[in-house]
Amino acid sequence: MRKILKLFSFIFILAAIFSVMACSNGKSGIIGELSYEATRTELEVTADFEENEKLSDSNTTVSVKLYDQDENYKTYLSVKVENNISGKVTFENLTQNTKYILKLFVSIDGFEEELDSIEATTKNEGNSMETAISIKTVDDFKAMSNDKDAYYRLDADLDFAQSGSISLFTESFSFSGKFFGNNHTISNVTLAAKKHSGLFGYLDGAEISDLNIKNVDLTSTTTIQFAGVIAGFAKDSTLKNIVVDDFMYNGEKSTTSYNLVVGGLIGETQGSGSIENCQMLNADIKIEKASKVLNCGLIVANLTGEYLVDQSVASGKLAIGIKNSSATVYSGTMYIGGFIGANSSLRKVSNSYSDVDIDVYRLEIDSALDQEISNKLYVGGFIGGNPGNQCNVENCFAYADIDVVAAELTDDYITKAKDQIIADVLRVGGFIGSVRSSAFGINNCLYYPKTTGVYVAAMVEKTTVDEQDSYSDYVISLTVAENRLDASKVNNLGAQLDKIDFVFNAKYETKNDDDEDVLVNITDEVELQSIKDSCIDKNNLSSNAADVLSDSLKQALNTLLTKE
C-alpha cells in the first residue's frame, strides 16, 4: 500500500513539473506581441493579442518588463488588456538615445510565461537646434505635449480649422523647450478655455521665435484666469520675431469671480525674460468684468519680474465693460493699456508703439444713490499704470483714442453717463494712467490722439466734510494722469494735439422735504469750470512732441497718419 501511495505522489509531482514546463514553453495558448512609440525620455508600449478569453480571467495578469541593453532588470508595468485584444503602458523618465529591452509576460495562477521580447530605443531628436524635432502636421504640433523640454522646428504652415481647441501646456506641465517657427504660419486657431489659455498655455524657461499666427479665437468662461495668444503665463521665457494677426477674445459673457489677466501675446510674465520684435495686429478684446482685479493690454496684460520688451507693436481694440448692480459692490483695480496693462518690470520697455482704440464703460447701471463704488480704474493709451515701484519706458508712442464713459454704449449713453459714477478713483492718460515711484522713468515718449483723443463722461459727486468740499477723484491727462516720479525722471514726454474732453454732471447729496436722500445738480458755472479744470491736465502739450522719437518710430507714426 505504501508503494502505491509513493507511486501516486511521484506521478503528481511529475504532473506539476510538466505543468510548469508547459506554461514556460508557451503552452498557455495566449499569443501576444509588443510594439512601441518613442520620445526622448519615454517609451509608449502597446501589447497586442490574439483574442483569448483567458485574458479576462481574474487569475490572469499581464505585464511588460523593462531591461537595459545588457538585460539587467529595471522595472515593470502592469497591462490592462481591453476587450481581450490590446493594452498600453508608458515607461517615463528614461535616458534619451538609449537602447532598452522590453519583454511581455502573462501569468496564470502564478505561473509566468514570456510571450515576446523586443528592443526599443529612446529618440535622439530634440536635444539641440540641429536635432530639433520636425513639425509638419497639426498632430505633430499637438504631440509636443508628450515632451515639454525638447527643441522643435516648424517645417510647414499649419491650419487648425478642423482640429478643435488647443492650449497645450499647464502650470504643472509647462513648456520649457525651444520652438523655432522657421517663419511658417499657424492659422485658424481656437484656444481652449483653461486657467492658463494660449497656444502654449504655460511657459517656464521656454523660447519661441520666428513664428506667424493668424486668426485666433478665444471665448471666455469661468475657467480662464490668464490668457494670451502665445501663453496665459510666461516665466523666465523669451519671445522673438513673432507676428500675430487677428485675435478675437470674446469675454462679453464672462462671469468669473477670479482676478482676470488678458493679454494679446501673453497674460502675465514672471522672472526674467524678453519680448523682442513681436507684433500683435488687429486684436479685438471684449471683456465684461464684475469683481476683483482686471489687467488687460495688447502685448502683455501684467508685465512683472525682469522682462525686457523691445521693438514691438500692438494694434487693435479694447472694449471693457464694468458690471455693477445694487446687490453687488464692485471692488477691484483695473489696469487697461493699449500696449501693456500693468507694468512693474525691472527692465525696459523701449522702441515700441500702440495703435489702439480703448472703450471702457459701465453696465447694469442703477440709480446713483444705490451705488457703492470702491474700484480703481487706470487707463492709458500705452500703459495702464505701474502698480509696482519700477517704470522704465523709452522711445515709445501711443496712437490712441480713449473713451471712458459711465454708461453702456447705447445711443443715449452720454446722457446717462453724466449721471453715473464710473470709479472711486479714475486715472486716464493718453500715454499712461499712473506712474508711481521708480529708479528709472519715462524718456522720449509721445501720445498722438487719433480722432477724439481722450474722452471721459461721468458724474462728479461733491461731498462736504468739516465745511471742506471735495469731489470725485478723477484725473484725465493728455500724457500721464498720475505722476509720482521725480521731475528729473520724466524727460520729453509729450502730446502732439490738444484732444481731450470731460463731460459731466456735478451733484451733491442732500435731503428733500420728506427727509429722503436726493442728488441735486450743481449749476454754478464758475464751480463747474473749476471742477473741470481740476480734473483735466493738458501739461506736456507740444506741436513738436514727435521730434523726440527715433527715426524709425517717426516713420511708423507717419505711416499711421497717412492711413488715416
Side-chain angles (χ1 to χ4, degrees):
M1 184 67 179
R2 289 182 178 177
K3 290 182 178 180
I4 294 173
L5 289 173
K6 288 181 178 180
L7 179 62
F8 275 113
S9 296
F10 179 71
I11 291 171
F12 178 78
I13 291 171
L14 284 177
I17 292 172
F18 281 122
S19 175
V20 171
M21 291 177 64
C23 284
S24 65
N25 287 288
K27 301 304 182 181
S28 67
I30 297 175
I31 298 174
E33 64 178 12
L34 293 174
S35 60
Y36 75 96
E37 293 287 339
T39 68
R40 294 183 313 123
T41 59
E42 294 182 355
L43 293 173
E44 183 183 70
V45 184
T46 301
D48 291 310
F49 300 89
E50 290 187 5
E51 190 171 358
N52 192 315
E53 292 183 356
K54 290 181 182 179
L55 289 168
S56 61
D57 193 295
S58 61
N59 294 319
T60 300
T61 60
V62 177
S63 63
V64 177
K65 295 183 180 181
L66 180 74
Y67 301 79
D68 66 20
Q69 59 183 343
D70 297 322
E71 295 208 29
N72 297 309
Y73 172 75
K74 305 287 289 183
T75 187
Y76 83 97
L77 293 173
S78 296
V79 180
K80 181 179 180 181
V81 181
E82 302 288 347
N83 301 318
N84 297 332
I85 295 177
S86 181
K88 289 186 177 183
V89 294
T90 301
F91 292 95
E92 300 176 335
N93 300 317
L94 304 179
T95 303
Q96 61 192 30
N97 193 31
T98 301
K99 184 183 292 184
Y100 294 90
I101 296 173
L102 300 167
K103 294 184 178 184
L104 175 63
F105 288 90
V106 62
S107 178
I108 301 176
D109 292 326
F111 298 108
E112 191 172 62
E113 175 184 342
E114 181 181 328
L115 301 183
D116 193 21
S117 176
I118 62 171
E119 291 184 349
T121 303
T122 52
K123 287 188 175 181
N124 191 33
E125 293 178 305
N127 301 320
S128 65
M129 183 184 298
E130 291 73 22
T131 64
I133 298 169
S134 176
I135 296 175
K136 296 181 179 178
T137 68
V138 172
D139 287 340
D140 289 344
F141 189 92
K142 291 183 175 180
M144 289 194 301
S145 62
N146 297 323
D147 191 347
K148 66 185 183 64
D149 302 315
Y151 288 70
Y152 295 94
R153 184 185 65 250
L154 185 60
D155 287 328
D157 294 340
L158 302 182
D159 188 340
F160 278 71
Q162 306 300 321
S163 303
S165 61
I166 184 171
S167 287
L168 273 184
F169 297 93
T170 64
E171 185 173 4
S172 59
F173 193 76
S174 54
F175 183 60
S176 55
K178 293 178 173 59
F179 184 92
F180 307 105
N182 213 13
N183 295 315
H184 282 289
T185 300
I186 294 173
S187 59
N188 303 317
V189 179
T190 299
L191 298 178
K194 295 184 177 182
K195 179 180 178 181
H196 301 95
S197 287
L199 191 60
F200 291 87
Y202 197 108
L203 305 178
D204 189 350
E207 292 184 19
I208 301 173
S209 62
D210 303 315
L211 177 63
N212 302 310
I213 306 173
K214 186 174 180 61
N215 190 19
V216 183
D217 289 308
L218 175 58
T219 299
S220 181
T221 70
T222 56
T223 304
I224 296 174
Q225 296 181 42
F226 303 86
V229 170
I230 299 300
F233 200 93
K235 180 180 179 182
D236 298 324
S237 296
T238 298
L239 276 65
K240 190 172 184 179
N241 304 330
I242 297 172
V243 178
V244 178
D245 190 357
D246 193 6
F247 171 45
M248 168 71 79
Y249 180 89
N250 181 5
E252 291 180 298
K253 304 300 179 184
S254 175
T255 57
T256 180
S257 60
Y258 295 113
N259 297 340
L260 186 60
V261 181
V262 178
L265 285 181
I266 298 292
E268 183 169 313
T269 66
Q270 189 181 89
S272 178
S274 64
I275 299 171
E276 298 180 72
N277 195 31
C278 292
Q279 298 181 54
M280 166 55 65
L281 307 177
N282 301 309
D284 190 354
I285 297 177
K286 299 177 181 177
I287 299 172
E288 294 180 358
K289 192 70 175 70
S291 63
K292 301 209 174 187
V293 172
L294 171 65
N295 293 332
C296 187
L298 290 183
I299 290 291
V300 179
N302 189 21
L303 189 74
T304 73
E306 296 185 15
Y307 259 77
L308 168 71
V309 182
D310 187 52
Q311 297 186 28
S312 295
V313 177
S315 73
K317 300 176 181 178
L318 295 175
I320 311 299
I322 305 172
K323 290 183 178 180
N324 188 66
S325 68
S326 57
T328 302
V329 177
Y330 177 80
S331 178
T333 302
M334 290 185 171
Y335 289 96
I336 300 164
F339 193 80
I340 294 170
N343 172 36
S344 54
S345 173
L346 295 174
R347 295 179 72 186
K348 186 179 289 186
V349 178
S350 56
N351 307 310
S352 301
Y353 70 88
S354 61
D355 170 13
V356 64
D357 293 287
I358 301 175
D359 289 315
V360 183
Y361 52 93
R362 283 284 307 280
L363 295 165
E364 301 174 6
I365 296 170
D366 301 299
S367 168
L369 284 174
D370 295 330
Q371 294 176 348
E372 292 184 65
I373 304 294
S374 59
N375 63 308
K376 297 178 180 180
L377 179 58
Y378 301 96
V379 184
F382 193 73
I383 296 173
N386 74 310
N389 292 323
Q390 297 299 338
C391 183
N392 189 359
V393 185
E394 183 175 324
N395 191 41
C396 297
F397 75 80
Y399 181 59
D401 279 342
I402 305 170
D403 285 1
V404 179
V405 293
E408 195 166 358
L409 301 179
T410 57
D411 290 340
D412 60 345
Y413 72 98
I414 295 300
T415 301
K416 291 182 178 179
K418 292 192 293 183
D419 282 336
Q420 302 292 332
I421 299 170
I422 184 65
D424 182 51
V425 174
L426 177 68
R427 302 288 185 264
V428 183
F431 189 79
I432 186 169
S434 174
V435 182
R436 300 183 182 180
S437 59
S438 173
F440 305 102
I442 303 174
N443 297 285
N444 301 332
C445 293
L446 169 73
Y447 168 58
Y448 200 112
K450 296 174 76 169
T451 303
T452 57
V454 179
Y455 182 85
V456 177
M459 186 185 82
V460 174
E461 190 171 34
K462 176 181 178 180
T463 56
T464 303
V465 178
D466 297 329
E467 298 184 353
Q468 295 294 317
D469 293 335
S470 63
Y471 301 90
S472 298
D473 191 2
Y474 298 164
V475 182
I476 306 149
S477 172
L478 282 170
T479 53
V480 51
E482 180 181 43
N483 183 7
R484 300 184 185 178
L485 295 176
D486 294 337
S488 62
K489 294 176 182 176
V490 180
N491 297 291
N492 299 323
L493 171 62
Q496 186 80 28
L497 301 173
D498 183 2
K499 289 188 177 181
I500 186 170
D501 199 8
F502 177 36
V503 298
F504 63 97
N505 286 334
K507 300 188 177 186
Y508 64 94
E509 188 174 316
T510 187
K511 298 285 188 181
N512 63 13
D513 294 339
D514 296 323
D515 200 33
E516 297 171 332
D517 291 332
V518 294
L519 288 176
V520 176
N521 283 318
I522 297 172
T523 58
D524 183 85
E525 294 295 334
V526 174
E527 185 173 2
L528 291 174
Q529 187 61 48
S530 175
I531 294 170
K532 189 168 186 176
D533 291 342
S534 69
C535 293
I536 291 182
D537 176 9
K538 293 185 180 182
N539 289 333
N540 306 320
L541 178 64
S542 170
S543 60
N544 299 317
D547 290 348
V548 302
L549 298 175
S550 66
D551 289 342
S552 60
L553 282 194
K554 286 179 184 177
Q555 183 177 351
L557 178 60
N558 287 333
T559 300
L560 292 175
L561 295 175
T562 302
K563 287 181 180 179
E564 294 296 328

